Amino acid sequence: MEILRELKALFGPRLLTKEAELAPYESDALTAYRERPLAVVLPERKEEVVEAVRICRRHGVPFVARGSGTSLSGGSLPVRGGVVIALNRLNRILKLDPKARLAVVEPGVVNLEVSRRAAPFGLYYAPDPSSQPVSTIGGNVAFNSGGAHCLRYGMTANHVLGLEVVTPEGEVVRLGGEGLEGVGPDLHGFFVGTEGLLGIALEITLRLLPRPEAYHTLLAAYPSLEAAGEAVARVLRSGLLPGAIEIMDRLAIEAAEAAVRAGYPKAEALLIVELEGEREEVAEGARRLAEVIAESGAEEVRIARDEAERQAIWKGRKAAFSAVGRLSPDYIVQDGVVPRTRLAEALREIGRLSEAYGLRVANVFHAGDGNLHPLVLYDGKRPGELERAEALAGEILRLCLRLGGSITGEHGVGMEKRAYLAEMFSPLEIAAMEEVKAGLDPLGLANRGKVFPPKEEAHA
Ligand SMILES: Cc1cc2nc3c(=O)[nH]c(=O)nc-3n(C[C@H](O)[C@H](O)[C@H](O)COP(=O)(O)OP(=O)(O)OC[C@H]3O[C@@H](n4cnc5c(N)ncnc54)[C@H](O)[C@@H]3O)c2cc1C
């Protein structure tokens, strides 16, 4: 095949085509979906990425950029007969400028590595997805990833200053720059969150923040999930703007305990609230928070006395997703948003749906911004259980829409949610998005089949 000959000439042994070599790339963290690509290429320089895209374009072959493959929506699933451009070897931090508080990184740099390298300068990279020890900045940019601390600091989009991108047509463009104040339209902002549909990020300029002077981390146990949800509304009504507000329910607590022994109290629900900033501001906030939590019906309240106790609280929360694997052979991680004033209502309804479908649902989520992550537990070996779990997960998304929210907060649409796009947007809105895609990618090569529902589904 001509395309394979050209890729071989460029990549040599870094072109993978054998069945055993391709197997690790067949799916991402949404393992229910699987697809065999034609080939995987492992570029080590951005020029090779550009050349790979140009070769694909000449042959009309679709391609998928891949970071660490932790997408939970099938975003980095290969396209059948297409090429996977795996970016993990592009993992250099090209520039770290403490004075300008920015870093220029290659797309395969792992999220946590940016903060690790910025730490000696008292700086860090704020967006903190739970996958941050593994997921890449390129993947984070594509999905506009968030994390526990995005409540105060915003998502990835708020921390990207500029991008170098290869478009699906093989052109290299620079979007944005190094400053917070750009001139003209916010094109780099436009690129963030487009799920690899408009090209591949080759270099990313990131904003770094000074490390907060102080933290105050509170853990409160509640007799019900709704009570914890109500407490979130109280905290936000009080005028406090914590760094993070997270909730875990009983199943998630049990899983986290079994996995990392975080030392959590036994409870129906746990609320984690973290204040951060200058020492005085945090001390004042802590007094206010204590009053609010005292009035919220918490059964037990703990305050982290030192950094080790703070880390223990976060370790349990950050491990909760993967820890749920201990409770069930299979699970679907759902990602939807509700207005935070309607959290308690949403949680009640999820409990009712869980009973109606006869499937357990564990909840662990970014409560401060209403971003729910119900984990639907099922056993794929039992006939019909996957279908039931998918139907329940779908009902939860519809619930989010009914309450005025969104079908995704941070995991993207990918493959998993493309059928729901038409429930959130009108045909006119979807057509406008498709026109943008077609304008920049007339052959539909970049991440073909993702995000937009296939025509027969869209008009069903
Ligand atoms: C245990 C666990 C916890 C998670 N927690 C969170 C969380 O708290 N918050 C959150 O937001 N997400 C979370 N995720 C989801 C996932 O980690 C994020 O979506 C992450 O950004 C994906 O990064 P990745 O490097 O694995 O990208 P991949 O999965 O490889 O790719 C993701 C998407 O990005 C595209 N892409 C990759 N690189 C580029 C590039 N250079 N240019 C253009 N497109 C590109 C791919 O084509 C694909 O569409 C979690 C996942 C797991 C498994």
Side-chain angles (χ1 to χ4, degrees), residues 23-332:
Y25 297 91
E26 279 178 10
S27 76
D28 54 23
L30 183 67
T31 50
Y33 293 70
R34 214 157 261 284
E35 197 61 80
R36 173 73 47 94
L38 171 70
V40 174
V41 293
L42 306 172
E44 290 176 346
R45 293 178 300 113
K46 67 178 177 183
E47 292 76 12
E48 291 179 340
V49 179
V50 175
E51 206 40 50
V53 168
R54 289 179 180 162
I55 292 172
C56 286
R57 179 173 176 272
R58 272 204 302 280
H59 294 275
V61 169
F63 60 86
V64 177
R66 183 180 172 107
S68 294
T70 64
S71 164
L72 289 163
S73 60
S76 43
L77 182 80
V79 176
R80 184 174 303 170
V83 173
V84 171
I85 303 179
L87 300 162
N88 288 92
R89 294 186 182 196
L90 283 152
N91 59 0
R92 283 160 291 230
I93 294 188
L94 302 170
K95 174 170 154 184
L96 204 150
D97 183 342
K99 278 212 185 93
R101 290 187 185 159
L102 62 81
V104 180
V105 307
E106 290 186 326
V109 167
V110 165
N111 174 306
L112 202 54
E113 184 62 13
V114 183
S115 291
R116 206 183 63 72
R117 292 280 295 278
F121 306 102
L123 300 171
Y124 78 118
Y125 176 63
D128 61 338
S130 302
S131 58
Q132 70 180 155
V134 192
S135 66
T136 64
I137 296 295
N140 293 179
V141 164
F143 275 160
N144 189 18
S145 297
H149 292 81
C150 289
L151 172 63
R152 188 178 172 100
Y153 299 107
M155 313 275 283
T156 301
N158 299 91
H159 300 269
V160 173
L161 297 170
L163 290 163
E164 186 177 46
V165 170
V166 54
T167 69
E169 292 278 88
E171 247 181 285
V172 176
V173 293
R174 280 202 167 267
L175 313 173
E178 295 200 339
L180 273 173
E181 266 127 61
V183 177
D186 179 8
L187 292 177
H188 60 290
F190 173 71
F191 184 87
V192 177
T194 49
E195 303 197 16
L197 259 60
L198 302 184
I200 301 181
L202 302 168
E203 269 182 32
I204 303 132
T205 305
L206 299 172
R207 188 155 77 101
L208 302 175
L209 298 184
R211 278 221 158 268
E213 203 179 21
Y215 291 101
H216 174 81
T217 312
L218 172 145
L219 183 75
Y222 287 88
S224 72
L225 199 49
E226 291 97 304
E230 291 287 2
V232 173
R234 278 176 186 268
V235 171
L236 292 167
R237 267 202 311 272
S238 74
L240 287 168
L241 179 54
I245 308 183
E246 300 282 305
I247 289 182
M248 298 167 70
D249 73 0
R250 187 171 46 76
L251 273 180
I253 300 164
E254 280 172 18
E257 274 302 307
V260 298
R261 302 201 191 295
Y264 289 152
K266 280 198 171 25
E268 283 302 309
L270 285 183
L271 175 70
I272 301 172
V273 184
E274 182 159 276
L275 304 175
E276 57 187 77
E278 288 178 11
R279 211 167 292 286
E280 273 177 31
E281 176 201 352
V282 171
E284 176 52 34
R287 279 190 286 278
R288 182 84 198 93
L289 181 63
E291 289 165 15
V292 175
I293 296 295
E295 289 161 8
S296 70
E299 291 173 324
E300 186 179 339
V301 180
R302 292 184 193 171
I303 310 289
R305 283 166 301 184
D306 52 31
E307 185 56 21
E309 288 190 5
R310 172 176 176 255
Q311 288 303 337
I313 290 175
W314 280 115
K315 195 171 172 193
R317 163 59 187 91
K318 299 238 167 179
F321 270 21
S322 36
V324 165
R326 290 171 176 255
L327 301 181
S328 168
D330 302 291
Y331 60 95
I332 295 174

